[in-house]
Structures are given as structure tokens and as C-alpha cells.
Amino acid sequence: MTGKTKALMVLSGLICPASAILAAAGAIDAIVMVAALVIFFPLFVISTFLTWKASDHEGDYPFIGY
């Protein structure tokens, strides 16, 4: 599970700034950037915290607001 979670964290972490850069350059519309951020930013946050807790070996998850 940790490998999939880390891959999701890296992928979603790269898509978020890439969509902002592409929107600033005019390659994609702003609505596409917003849609990418709405989809991928929560995935990035959740996968980051799940990866963080998987390395801790404790049963308690931190509160992340989702």
C-alpha cells in the first residue's frame, strides 16, 4: 500500500503545479486548471498524510480536515 500511496502523492503533487504553469502560459484554460486542482489537491494531501502515518507504525491518523 505504501508504494501506491507514494506514487499517488508524487503524481498528484506534480499535476497541481503543472496545471498552474500551463494555465499561466495559456496552454490550458483556467477552468481546466481549477478542475485539476479540485481533483488532485485533496488526493495529494490525503496521500501525503497516509504515507506519513505508514512510516510511523502507529494506529492513529492525524486530523487533516477531510
Side-chain angles (χ1 to χ4, degrees), residues 1 3 5 18 20-21 28-30 32-33 36 41 45 52 57-58 62:
M1 167 121 176
T5 308
I21 291 169
I28 61 173
D29 290 334
V32 176
M33 177 197 67
F41 185 72
V45 171
W52 174 37
H57 298 295
E58 289 183 17

Side-chain angles (χ1 to χ4, degrees), residues 3 5-6 11 16 18 21-22 25 28 32-33 36 40 46 51 54 56-57 59-61 65-66:
T5 308
K6 285 182 182 178
L11 180 66
C16 290
I21 291 169
L22 288 173
I28 61 173
V32 176
M33 177 197 67
F40 289 105
I46 291 170
T51 303
D56 204 12
H57 298 295
D60 191 25
Y61 291 104
Y66 284 104

Side-chain angles (χ1 to χ4, degrees), residues 28-52:
I28 61 173
D29 290 334
I31 192 72
V32 176
M33 177 197 67
V34 170
L37 290 177
V38 165
I39 293 169
F40 289 105
F41 185 72
L43 288 175
F44 175 72
V45 171
I46 291 170
S47 61
T48 300
F49 278 96
L50 286 176
T51 303
W52 174 37

